[in-house]
Amino acid sequence: MLSAFQDVEDYLSAVRITSKQAAAAQAVAQRSGELAASQARGFAAGTASRMDVLDTKLTEAQDRKTSPDYSGQALQDAVLLVKALGGGWQGQIAPIAPAEARQAVGGQMDSMK
């Protein structure tokens, strides 16, 4: 029983931490993009070298690659939290036939009138 509570606490912490990391990585990637654009303008104006522009572009690409990694880890931790809380995870969702979908949406629209 105590192990189950420990798992929930661990995954709650992991979700909080990885969510903050994902947000920070996204902000870094955005800032890298802004810096790359600034370097490109500097190159066009003659105040930055091609090497500076390429270095900044490389850093931007690396930051944009890292950002989804943190987001993916945050989602994995959220799934593990749901599992630790006793929730299930089913890999398949039954498809809805187009007629059933129209009927369901139509019924909702009728109730809104």
Side-chain angles (χ1 to χ4, degrees):
M1 182 72 163
L2 291 177
S3 174
F5 284 122
Q6 183 65 45
D7 287 345
V8 170
E9 183 179 353
D10 290 345
Y11 291 125
L12 275 171
S13 295
V15 166
R16 181 179 51 82
I17 291 167
T18 55
S19 294
K20 286 182 180 180
Q21 287 174 332
Q26 188 174 9
V28 167
Q30 181 180 356
R31 181 67 182 119
S32 290
E34 293 169 2
L35 184 58
S38 174
Q39 285 287 358
R41 286 190 300 271
F43 179 72
T47 59
S49 70
R50 180 172 295 271
M51 189 61 104
D52 291 337
V53 173
L54 293 175
D55 186 45
T56 307
K57 288 278 190 185
L58 176 62
T59 301
E60 176 191 14
Q62 290 169 338
D63 291 341
R64 293 209 183 276
K65 180 188 174 294
T66 303
S67 180
D69 293 343
Y70 284 111
S71 298
Q73 184 61 48
L75 291 174
Q76 287 176 356
D77 290 339
V79 168
L80 292 172
L81 174 61
V82 169
K83 185 178 176 185
L85 289 169
W89 190 267
Q90 297 176 349
Q92 293 183 333
I93 299 173
I96 297 177
E100 293 173 3
R102 278 194 300 271
Q103 190 176 33
V105 172
Q108 289 176 358
M109 296 300 280
D110 291 339
S111 66
M112 295 176 76
K113 291 180 181 177

